[in-house]
PDB file of all heavy atoms in Angstrom:
ATOM      1  N   ASN F   4     -28.696 223.032 -38.346  1.00  0.00           N
ATOM      2  CA  ASN F   4     -27.311 223.466 -38.641  1.00  0.00           C
ATOM      3  C   ASN F   4     -27.090 223.719 -40.096  1.00  0.00           C
ATOM      4  O   ASN F   4     -27.703 223.032 -41.022  1.00  0.00           O
ATOM      5  CB  ASN F   4     -26.452 222.105 -38.301  1.00  0.00           C
ATOM      6  CG  ASN F   4     -24.966 222.544 -38.228  1.00  0.00           C
ATOM      7  OD1 ASN F   4     -24.346 222.631 -39.294  1.00  0.00           O
ATOM      8  ND2 ASN F   4     -24.438 222.818 -37.046  1.00  0.00           N
ATOM      9  N   LYS F   7     -26.105 221.256 -42.631  1.00  0.00           N
ATOM     10  CA  LYS F   7     -27.014 220.068 -42.805  1.00  0.00           C
ATOM     11  C   LYS F   7     -28.295 220.380 -43.587  1.00  0.00           C
ATOM     12  O   LYS F   7     -29.172 219.549 -43.756  1.00  0.00           O
ATOM     13  CB  LYS F   7     -27.446 219.669 -41.362  1.00  0.00           C
ATOM     14  CG  LYS F   7     -26.376 219.019 -40.616  1.00  0.00           C
ATOM     15  CD  LYS F   7     -26.892 217.891 -39.567  1.00  0.00           C
ATOM     16  CE  LYS F   7     -25.747 217.177 -39.097  1.00  0.00           C
ATOM     17  NZ  LYS F   7     -26.099 216.321 -37.958  1.00  0.00           N
ATOM     18  N   LYS F  20     -22.662 219.730 -61.909  1.00  0.00           N
ATOM     19  CA  LYS F  20     -21.498 218.829 -61.374  1.00  0.00           C
ATOM     20  C   LYS F  20     -20.612 219.652 -60.678  1.00  0.00           C
ATOM     21  O   LYS F  20     -20.090 219.306 -59.560  1.00  0.00           O
ATOM     22  CB  LYS F  20     -20.923 218.184 -62.626  1.00  0.00           C
ATOM     23  CG  LYS F  20     -19.647 217.351 -62.111  1.00  0.00           C
ATOM     24  CD  LYS F  20     -18.876 216.717 -63.326  1.00  0.00           C
ATOM     25  CE  LYS F  20     -17.504 216.292 -62.825  1.00  0.00           C
ATOM     26  NZ  LYS F  20     -16.693 215.818 -63.910  1.00  0.00           N
ATOM     27  N   GLN F  24     -19.076 219.507 -56.886  1.00  0.00           N
ATOM     28  CA  GLN F  24     -17.749 219.355 -56.393  1.00  0.00           C
ATOM     29  C   GLN F  24     -17.495 220.418 -55.283  1.00  0.00           C
ATOM     30  O   GLN F  24     -16.824 220.091 -54.377  1.00  0.00           O
ATOM     31  CB  GLN F  24     -16.822 219.650 -57.598  1.00  0.00           C
ATOM     32  CG  GLN F  24     -16.806 218.496 -58.630  1.00  0.00           C
ATOM     33  CD  GLN F  24     -15.881 218.742 -59.737  1.00  0.00           C
ATOM     34  OE1 GLN F  24     -15.983 219.546 -60.564  1.00  0.00           O
ATOM     35  NE2 GLN F  24     -14.832 217.848 -59.804  1.00  0.00           N
ATOM     36  N   SER F  27     -19.353 219.257 -52.128  1.00  0.00           N
ATOM     37  CA  SER F  27     -18.756 217.937 -51.494  1.00  0.00           C
ATOM     38  C   SER F  27     -17.659 218.229 -50.455  1.00  0.00           C
ATOM     39  O   SER F  27     -17.543 217.406 -49.539  1.00  0.00           O
ATOM     40  CB  SER F  27     -18.190 217.142 -52.730  1.00  0.00           C
ATOM     41  OG  SER F  27     -17.001 217.647 -53.132  1.00  0.00           O
ATOM     42  N   THR F  28     -17.053 219.327 -50.495  1.00  0.00           N
ATOM     43  CA  THR F  28     -16.005 219.667 -49.564  1.00  0.00           C
ATOM     44  C   THR F  28     -16.529 219.845 -48.182  1.00  0.00           C
ATOM     45  O   THR F  28     -15.987 219.646 -47.212  1.00  0.00           O
ATOM     46  CB  THR F  28     -15.250 220.943 -50.078  1.00  0.00           C
ATOM     47  OG1 THR F  28     -14.665 220.703 -51.318  1.00  0.00           O
ATOM     48  CG2 THR F  28     -14.117 221.310 -49.074  1.00  0.00           C
ATOM     49  N   SER F  30     -19.435 218.238 -47.508  1.00  0.00           N
ATOM     50  CA  SER F  30     -20.343 217.018 -47.327  1.00  0.00           C
ATOM     51  C   SER F  30     -21.886 217.513 -47.226  1.00  0.00           C
ATOM     52  O   SER F  30     -22.618 216.908 -46.438  1.00  0.00           O
ATOM     53  CB  SER F  30     -19.996 216.262 -46.045  1.00  0.00           C
ATOM     54  OG  SER F  30     -18.629 215.790 -46.211  1.00  0.00           O
ATOM     55  N   GLU F 284      -9.503 227.481 -60.437  1.00  0.00           N
ATOM     56  CA  GLU F 284      -8.122 227.460 -60.128  1.00  0.00           C
ATOM     57  C   GLU F 284      -7.480 228.795 -59.851  1.00  0.00           C
ATOM     58  O   GLU F 284      -6.509 228.830 -59.112  1.00  0.00           O
ATOM     59  CB  GLU F 284      -7.360 226.798 -61.245  1.00  0.00           C
ATOM     60  CG  GLU F 284      -7.530 225.276 -61.374  1.00  0.00           C
ATOM     61  CD  GLU F 284      -8.703 224.838 -62.337  1.00  0.00           C
ATOM     62  OE1 GLU F 284      -9.386 225.735 -62.882  1.00  0.00           O
ATOM     63  OE2 GLU F 284      -9.099 223.626 -62.344  1.00  0.00           O
ATOM     64  N   GLU F 287      -9.409 232.586 -55.120  1.00  0.00           N
ATOM     65  CA  GLU F 287      -9.400 232.140 -53.702  1.00  0.00           C
ATOM     66  C   GLU F 287     -10.716 231.243 -53.525  1.00  0.00           C
ATOM     67  O   GLU F 287     -10.626 230.102 -52.814  1.00  0.00           O
ATOM     68  CB  GLU F 287      -9.441 233.330 -52.822  1.00  0.00           C
ATOM     69  CG  GLU F 287      -9.465 233.093 -51.378  1.00  0.00           C
ATOM     70  CD  GLU F 287      -8.117 232.884 -50.752  1.00  0.00           C
ATOM     71  OE1 GLU F 287      -7.084 233.456 -51.195  1.00  0.00           O
ATOM     72  OE2 GLU F 287      -8.035 232.305 -49.645  1.00  0.00           O
ATOM     73  N   ARG F 309      -5.483 234.740 -57.932  1.00  0.00           N
ATOM     74  CA  ARG F 309      -4.165 234.368 -57.516  1.00  0.00           C
ATOM     75  C   ARG F 309      -3.194 234.317 -58.673  1.00  0.00           C
ATOM     76  O   ARG F 309      -1.872 234.247 -58.385  1.00  0.00           O
ATOM     77  CB  ARG F 309      -4.181 233.087 -56.767  1.00  0.00           C
ATOM     78  CG  ARG F 309      -5.033 233.190 -55.484  1.00  0.00           C
ATOM     79  CD  ARG F 309      -4.894 231.952 -54.653  1.00  0.00           C
ATOM     80  NE  ARG F 309      -5.563 230.853 -55.153  1.00  0.00           N
ATOM     81  CZ  ARG F 309      -5.796 229.740 -54.501  1.00  0.00           C
ATOM     82  NH1 ARG F 309      -5.574 229.664 -53.147  1.00  0.00           N
ATOM     83  NH2 ARG F 309      -6.469 228.683 -55.040  1.00  0.00           N
ATOM     84  N   PRO F 327     -17.721 209.404 -76.488  1.00  0.00           N
ATOM     85  CA  PRO F 327     -16.534 210.296 -76.658  1.00  0.00           C
ATOM     86  C   PRO F 327     -15.200 209.707 -76.191  1.00  0.00           C
ATOM     87  O   PRO F 327     -15.258 208.945 -75.210  1.00  0.00           O
ATOM     88  CB  PRO F 327     -16.901 211.556 -75.762  1.00  0.00           C
ATOM     89  CG  PRO F 327     -17.751 210.902 -74.689  1.00  0.00           C
ATOM     90  CD  PRO F 327     -18.489 209.796 -75.346  1.00  0.00           C
ATOM     91  N   VAL F 328     -14.164 210.170 -76.814  1.00  0.00           N
ATOM     92  CA  VAL F 328     -12.875 209.730 -76.425  1.00  0.00           C
ATOM     93  C   VAL F 328     -12.029 211.076 -76.376  1.00  0.00           C
ATOM     94  O   VAL F 328     -12.122 211.910 -77.239  1.00  0.00           O
ATOM     95  CB  VAL F 328     -12.152 208.853 -77.384  1.00  0.00           C
ATOM     96  CG1 VAL F 328     -10.699 208.461 -76.954  1.00  0.00           C
ATOM     97  CG2 VAL F 328     -12.981 207.468 -77.428  1.00  0.00           C
ATOM     98  N   ILE F 329     -11.275 211.282 -75.277  1.00  0.00           N
ATOM     99  CA  ILE F 329     -10.450 212.474 -75.315  1.00  0.00           C
ATOM    100  C   ILE F 329      -9.051 212.090 -75.771  1.00  0.00           C
ATOM    101  O   ILE F 329      -8.468 211.141 -75.177  1.00  0.00           O
ATOM    102  CB  ILE F 329     -10.512 213.248 -73.935  1.00  0.00           C
ATOM    103  CG1 ILE F 329      -9.557 214.480 -73.969  1.00  0.00           C
ATOM    104  CG2 ILE F 329     -10.165 212.268 -72.782  1.00  0.00           C
ATOM    105  CD1 ILE F 329      -9.862 215.471 -72.734  1.00  0.00           C
ATOM    106  N   GLY F 340       0.967 224.267 -65.264  1.00  0.00           N
ATOM    107  CA  GLY F 340       0.005 225.189 -65.002  1.00  0.00           C
ATOM    108  C   GLY F 340      -1.379 224.873 -65.777  1.00  0.00           C
ATOM    109  O   GLY F 340      -2.377 225.633 -65.715  1.00  0.00           O
ATOM    110  N   HIS F 342      -4.717 222.786 -66.357  1.00  0.00           N
ATOM    111  CA  HIS F 342      -5.732 222.090 -65.548  1.00  0.00           C
ATOM    112  C   HIS F 342      -6.889 221.603 -66.458  1.00  0.00           C
ATOM    113  O   HIS F 342      -7.518 222.511 -67.082  1.00  0.00           O
ATOM    114  CB  HIS F 342      -6.259 222.928 -64.506  1.00  0.00           C
ATOM    115  CG  HIS F 342      -5.212 223.315 -63.408  1.00  0.00           C
ATOM    116  ND1 HIS F 342      -4.912 222.574 -62.350  1.00  0.00           N
ATOM    117  CD2 HIS F 342      -4.293 224.326 -63.390  1.00  0.00           C
ATOM    118  CE1 HIS F 342      -3.948 223.170 -61.691  1.00  0.00           C
ATOM    119  NE2 HIS F 342      -3.542 224.233 -62.291  1.00  0.00           N
ATOM    120  N   TYR F 345     -12.916 217.458 -67.601  1.00  0.00           N
ATOM    121  CA  TYR F 345     -13.516 216.638 -68.577  1.00  0.00           C
ATOM    122  C   TYR F 345     -14.966 216.170 -67.983  1.00  0.00           C
ATOM    123  O   TYR F 345     -14.890 215.580 -66.947  1.00  0.00           O
ATOM    124  CB  TYR F 345     -12.660 215.450 -68.915  1.00  0.00           C
ATOM    125  CG  TYR F 345     -13.219 214.654 -69.995  1.00  0.00           C
ATOM    126  CD1 TYR F 345     -13.423 215.145 -71.297  1.00  0.00           C
ATOM    127  CD2 TYR F 345     -13.506 213.258 -69.762  1.00  0.00           C
ATOM    128  CE1 TYR F 345     -13.922 214.279 -72.370  1.00  0.00           C
ATOM    129  CE2 TYR F 345     -14.005 212.440 -70.816  1.00  0.00           C
ATOM    130  CZ  TYR F 345     -14.159 212.968 -72.033  1.00  0.00           C
ATOM    131  OH  TYR F 345     -14.678 212.220 -73.040  1.00  0.00           O
ATOM    132  N   LEU F 363      -2.837 228.444 -65.806  1.00  0.00           N
ATOM    133  CA  LEU F 363      -2.273 229.572 -64.917  1.00  0.00           C
ATOM    134  C   LEU F 363      -0.812 229.793 -65.247  1.00  0.00           C
ATOM    135  O   LEU F 363      -0.081 228.788 -65.522  1.00  0.00           O
ATOM    136  CB  LEU F 363      -2.335 229.073 -63.441  1.00  0.00           C
ATOM    137  CG  LEU F 363      -3.696 228.676 -62.863  1.00  0.00           C
ATOM    138  CD1 LEU F 363      -3.515 228.372 -61.412  1.00  0.00           C
ATOM    139  CD2 LEU F 363      -4.796 229.669 -63.015  1.00  0.00           C
TER     140      LEU F 363
ATOM    141  N   ASN M   4      -8.041 204.219 -73.652  1.00  0.00           N
ATOM    142  CA  ASN M   4      -7.900 205.749 -73.437  1.00  0.00           C
ATOM    143  C   ASN M   4      -7.587 205.955 -71.872  1.00  0.00           C
ATOM    144  O   ASN M   4      -8.217 205.359 -71.003  1.00  0.00           O
ATOM    145  CB  ASN M   4      -9.167 206.457 -73.765  1.00  0.00           C
ATOM    146  CG  ASN M   4      -8.947 207.917 -73.769  1.00  0.00           C
ATOM    147  OD1 ASN M   4      -9.047 208.565 -72.733  1.00  0.00           O
ATOM    148  ND2 ASN M   4      -8.679 208.478 -74.896  1.00  0.00           N
ATOM    149  N   LYS M   7     -10.187 206.699 -69.396  1.00  0.00           N
ATOM    150  CA  LYS M   7     -11.131 205.691 -69.331  1.00  0.00           C
ATOM    151  C   LYS M   7     -10.814 204.565 -68.335  1.00  0.00           C
ATOM    152  O   LYS M   7     -11.541 203.560 -68.305  1.00  0.00           O
ATOM    153  CB  LYS M   7     -11.588 205.180 -70.655  1.00  0.00           C
ATOM    154  CG  LYS M   7     -12.326 206.243 -71.504  1.00  0.00           C
ATOM    155  CD  LYS M   7     -13.340 205.700 -72.461  1.00  0.00           C
ATOM    156  CE  LYS M   7     -14.166 206.743 -73.002  1.00  0.00           C
ATOM    157  NZ  LYS M   7     -15.013 206.313 -74.141  1.00  0.00           N
ATOM    158  N   LYS M  20     -12.052 210.083 -50.122  1.00  0.00           N
ATOM    159  CA  LYS M  20     -13.025 210.974 -50.618  1.00  0.00           C
ATOM    160  C   LYS M  20     -12.223 212.132 -51.316  1.00  0.00           C
ATOM    161  O   LYS M  20     -12.686 212.448 -52.459  1.00  0.00           O
ATOM    162  CB  LYS M  20     -13.772 211.616 -49.450  1.00  0.00           C
ATOM    163  CG  LYS M  20     -14.696 212.751 -49.853  1.00  0.00           C
ATOM    164  CD  LYS M  20     -15.374 213.444 -48.696  1.00  0.00           C
ATOM    165  CE  LYS M  20     -15.899 214.728 -49.230  1.00  0.00           C
ATOM    166  NZ  LYS M  20     -16.579 215.516 -48.153  1.00  0.00           N
ATOM    167  N   GLN M  24     -12.553 213.489 -55.161  1.00  0.00           N
ATOM    168  CA  GLN M  24     -12.763 214.883 -55.494  1.00  0.00           C
ATOM    169  C   GLN M  24     -11.771 215.251 -56.700  1.00  0.00           C
ATOM    170  O   GLN M  24     -12.171 215.918 -57.628  1.00  0.00           O
ATOM    171  CB  GLN M  24     -12.658 215.866 -54.374  1.00  0.00           C
ATOM    172  CG  GLN M  24     -13.773 215.599 -53.398  1.00  0.00           C
ATOM    173  CD  GLN M  24     -13.744 216.713 -52.252  1.00  0.00           C
ATOM    174  OE1 GLN M  24     -12.698 216.602 -51.446  1.00  0.00           O
ATOM    175  NE2 GLN M  24     -14.602 217.617 -52.210  1.00  0.00           N
ATOM    176  N   SER M  27     -12.759 213.301 -59.909  1.00  0.00           N
ATOM    177  CA  SER M  27     -14.060 213.679 -60.496  1.00  0.00           C
ATOM    178  C   SER M  27     -13.869 214.745 -61.539  1.00  0.00           C
ATOM    179  O   SER M  27     -14.724 214.879 -62.472  1.00  0.00           O
ATOM    180  CB  SER M  27     -14.993 214.225 -59.389  1.00  0.00           C
ATOM    181  OG  SER M  27     -14.514 215.476 -58.885  1.00  0.00           O
ATOM    182  N   THR M  28     -12.892 215.580 -61.499  1.00  0.00           N
ATOM    183  CA  THR M  28     -12.675 216.652 -62.430  1.00  0.00           C
ATOM    184  C   THR M  28     -12.363 216.060 -63.838  1.00  0.00           C
ATOM    185  O   THR M  28     -12.736 216.690 -64.813  1.00  0.00           O
ATOM    186  CB  THR M  28     -11.435 217.487 -61.993  1.00  0.00           C
ATOM    187  OG1 THR M  28     -11.790 218.109 -60.719  1.00  0.00           O
ATOM    188  CG2 THR M  28     -11.150 218.706 -62.909  1.00  0.00           C
ATOM    189  N   TRP M  29     -11.930 214.904 -63.903  1.00  0.00           N
ATOM    190  CA  TRP M  29     -11.654 214.164 -65.183  1.00  0.00           C
ATOM    191  C   TRP M  29     -12.744 213.189 -65.394  1.00  0.00           C
ATOM    192  O   TRP M  29     -12.605 212.295 -66.389  1.00  0.00           O
ATOM    193  CB  TRP M  29     -10.231 213.529 -65.247  1.00  0.00           C
ATOM    194  CG  TRP M  29      -9.233 214.575 -65.024  1.00  0.00           C
ATOM    195  CD1 TRP M  29      -9.199 215.780 -65.261  1.00  0.00           C
ATOM    196  CD2 TRP M  29      -7.880 214.224 -64.337  1.00  0.00           C
ATOM    197  NE1 TRP M  29      -7.935 216.376 -64.898  1.00  0.00           N
ATOM    198  CE2 TRP M  29      -7.232 215.433 -64.340  1.00  0.00           C
ATOM    199  CE3 TRP M  29      -7.375 213.047 -63.862  1.00  0.00           C
ATOM    200  CZ2 TRP M  29      -5.870 215.445 -63.879  1.00  0.00           C
ATOM    201  CZ3 TRP M  29      -6.113 213.153 -63.267  1.00  0.00           C
ATOM    202  CH2 TRP M  29      -5.350 214.296 -63.230  1.00  0.00           C
ATOM    203  N   SER M  30     -13.779 213.043 -64.558  1.00  0.00           N
ATOM    204  CA  SER M  30     -14.829 212.042 -64.698  1.00  0.00           C
ATOM    205  C   SER M  30     -14.311 210.633 -64.837  1.00  0.00           C
ATOM    206  O   SER M  30     -14.704 209.835 -65.620  1.00  0.00           O
ATOM    207  CB  SER M  30     -15.701 212.392 -65.938  1.00  0.00           C
ATOM    208  OG  SER M  30     -16.222 213.715 -65.852  1.00  0.00           O
ATOM    209  N   GLU M 287      -0.294 224.416 -56.808  1.00  0.00           N
ATOM    210  CA  GLU M 287      -0.876 224.346 -58.243  1.00  0.00           C
ATOM    211  C   GLU M 287      -1.647 222.969 -58.439  1.00  0.00           C
ATOM    212  O   GLU M 287      -2.632 223.015 -59.068  1.00  0.00           O
ATOM    213  CB  GLU M 287       0.400 224.395 -59.122  1.00  0.00           C
ATOM    214  CG  GLU M 287       0.069 224.381 -60.569  1.00  0.00           C
ATOM    215  CD  GLU M 287      -0.179 225.773 -61.220  1.00  0.00           C
ATOM    216  OE1 GLU M 287       0.295 226.769 -60.681  1.00  0.00           O
ATOM    217  OE2 GLU M 287      -0.871 225.757 -62.235  1.00  0.00           O
ATOM    218  N   ARG M 309       1.465 228.489 -54.013  1.00  0.00           N
ATOM    219  CA  ARG M 309       0.989 229.880 -54.480  1.00  0.00           C
ATOM    220  C   ARG M 309       0.919 230.749 -53.228  1.00  0.00           C
ATOM    221  O   ARG M 309       0.567 231.953 -53.562  1.00  0.00           O
ATOM    222  CB  ARG M 309      -0.351 229.643 -55.159  1.00  0.00           C
ATOM    223  CG  ARG M 309      -0.184 228.768 -56.399  1.00  0.00           C
ATOM    224  CD  ARG M 309      -1.377 228.826 -57.316  1.00  0.00           C
ATOM    225  NE  ARG M 309      -2.462 227.998 -56.714  1.00  0.00           N
ATOM    226  CZ  ARG M 309      -3.556 227.755 -57.432  1.00  0.00           C
ATOM    227  NH1 ARG M 309      -3.634 228.092 -58.704  1.00  0.00           N
ATOM    228  NH2 ARG M 309      -4.532 227.012 -56.999  1.00  0.00           N
ATOM    229  N   PRO M 327     -22.684 213.927 -35.573  1.00  0.00           N
ATOM    230  CA  PRO M 327     -21.948 215.194 -35.438  1.00  0.00           C
ATOM    231  C   PRO M 327     -22.683 216.419 -35.885  1.00  0.00           C
ATOM    232  O   PRO M 327     -23.446 216.404 -36.853  1.00  0.00           O
ATOM    233  CB  PRO M 327     -20.702 214.961 -36.299  1.00  0.00           C
ATOM    234  CG  PRO M 327     -21.196 214.054 -37.305  1.00  0.00           C
ATOM    235  CD  PRO M 327     -22.299 213.202 -36.841  1.00  0.00           C
ATOM    236  N   VAL M 328     -22.370 217.484 -35.167  1.00  0.00           N
ATOM    237  CA  VAL M 328     -22.846 218.891 -35.586  1.00  0.00           C
ATOM    238  C   VAL M 328     -21.668 219.786 -35.678  1.00  0.00           C
ATOM    239  O   VAL M 328     -20.881 219.728 -34.700  1.00  0.00           O
ATOM    240  CB  VAL M 328     -23.903 219.395 -34.671  1.00  0.00           C
ATOM    241  CG1 VAL M 328     -24.313 220.820 -35.008  1.00  0.00           C
ATOM    242  CG2 VAL M 328     -25.078 218.468 -34.642  1.00  0.00           C
ATOM    243  N   ILE M 329     -21.362 220.563 -36.705  1.00  0.00           N
ATOM    244  CA  ILE M 329     -20.336 221.466 -36.713  1.00  0.00           C
ATOM    245  C   ILE M 329     -20.842 222.791 -36.245  1.00  0.00           C
ATOM    246  O   ILE M 329     -21.897 223.322 -36.820  1.00  0.00           O
ATOM    247  CB  ILE M 329     -19.616 221.452 -38.043  1.00  0.00           C
ATOM    248  CG1 ILE M 329     -18.437 222.478 -38.036  1.00  0.00           C
ATOM    249  CG2 ILE M 329     -20.581 221.708 -39.226  1.00  0.00           C
ATOM    250  CD1 ILE M 329     -17.474 222.346 -39.245  1.00  0.00           C
ATOM    251  N   GLY M 340      -9.668 233.966 -46.677  1.00  0.00           N
ATOM    252  CA  GLY M 340      -8.575 233.010 -46.907  1.00  0.00           C
ATOM    253  C   GLY M 340      -8.785 231.680 -46.156  1.00  0.00           C
ATOM    254  O   GLY M 340      -8.002 230.706 -46.208  1.00  0.00           O
ATOM    255  N   HIS M 342     -10.563 228.136 -45.554  1.00  0.00           N
ATOM    256  CA  HIS M 342     -11.210 227.021 -46.364  1.00  0.00           C
ATOM    257  C   HIS M 342     -11.456 225.875 -45.456  1.00  0.00           C
ATOM    258  O   HIS M 342     -10.648 225.368 -44.841  1.00  0.00           O
ATOM    259  CB  HIS M 342     -10.305 226.616 -47.566  1.00  0.00           C
ATOM    260  CG  HIS M 342      -9.967 227.664 -48.492  1.00  0.00           C
ATOM    261  ND1 HIS M 342     -10.811 227.865 -49.571  1.00  0.00           N
ATOM    262  CD2 HIS M 342      -8.984 228.658 -48.522  1.00  0.00           C
ATOM    263  CE1 HIS M 342     -10.296 228.899 -50.311  1.00  0.00           C
ATOM    264  NE2 HIS M 342      -9.304 229.404 -49.691  1.00  0.00           N
ATOM    265  N   LEU M 343     -12.832 225.504 -45.478  1.00  0.00           N
ATOM    266  CA  LEU M 343     -13.322 224.382 -44.615  1.00  0.00           C
ATOM    267  C   LEU M 343     -13.477 223.129 -45.384  1.00  0.00           C
ATOM    268  O   LEU M 343     -14.005 223.095 -46.421  1.00  0.00           O
ATOM    269  CB  LEU M 343     -14.506 224.760 -44.004  1.00  0.00           C
ATOM    270  CG  LEU M 343     -15.308 223.852 -43.124  1.00  0.00           C
ATOM    271  CD1 LEU M 343     -14.606 223.643 -41.801  1.00  0.00           C
ATOM    272  CD2 LEU M 343     -16.744 224.268 -42.758  1.00  0.00           C
ATOM    273  N   TYR M 345     -15.144 219.399 -44.406  1.00  0.00           N
ATOM    274  CA  TYR M 345     -15.937 218.727 -43.450  1.00  0.00           C
ATOM    275  C   TYR M 345     -16.286 217.406 -44.066  1.00  0.00           C
ATOM    276  O   TYR M 345     -16.820 217.216 -45.183  1.00  0.00           O
ATOM    277  CB  TYR M 345     -17.197 219.507 -43.077  1.00  0.00           C
ATOM    278  CG  TYR M 345     -17.966 218.925 -41.942  1.00  0.00           C
ATOM    279  CD1 TYR M 345     -17.525 218.677 -40.679  1.00  0.00           C
ATOM    280  CD2 TYR M 345     -19.308 218.457 -42.189  1.00  0.00           C
ATOM    281  CE1 TYR M 345     -18.214 218.176 -39.638  1.00  0.00           C
ATOM    282  CE2 TYR M 345     -20.125 217.963 -41.188  1.00  0.00           C
ATOM    283  CZ  TYR M 345     -19.509 217.752 -39.893  1.00  0.00           C
ATOM    284  OH  TYR M 345     -20.254 217.227 -38.925  1.00  0.00           O
ATOM    285  N   LEU M 363      -5.030 230.483 -46.162  1.00  0.00           N
ATOM    286  CA  LEU M 363      -4.083 231.049 -46.966  1.00  0.00           C
ATOM    287  C   LEU M 363      -3.887 232.541 -46.677  1.00  0.00           C
ATOM    288  O   LEU M 363      -4.915 233.203 -46.393  1.00  0.00           O
ATOM    289  CB  LEU M 363      -4.494 231.055 -48.495  1.00  0.00           C
ATOM    290  CG  LEU M 363      -4.881 229.658 -49.068  1.00  0.00           C
ATOM    291  CD1 LEU M 363      -5.159 229.834 -50.605  1.00  0.00           C
ATOM    292  CD2 LEU M 363      -3.718 228.628 -48.832  1.00  0.00           C
TER     293      LEU M 363
END
Side-chain angles (χ1 to χ4, degrees):
Chain F
N4 193 279
K7 289 208 171 171
K20 176 186 165 183
Q24 288 183 295
S27 70
T28 301
S30 301
E284 286 88 5
E287 179 91 25
R309 298 192 286 196
V328 176
I329 180 163
H342 296 269
Y345 184 60
L363 306 183
Chain M
N4 192 280
K7 287 209 174 172
K20 176 187 165 181
Q24 289 183 295
S27 71
T28 300
W29 304 328
S30 301
E287 180 91 24
R309 298 192 285 194
V328 176
I329 180 164
H342 297 270
L343 176 68
Y345 184 60
L363 306 183

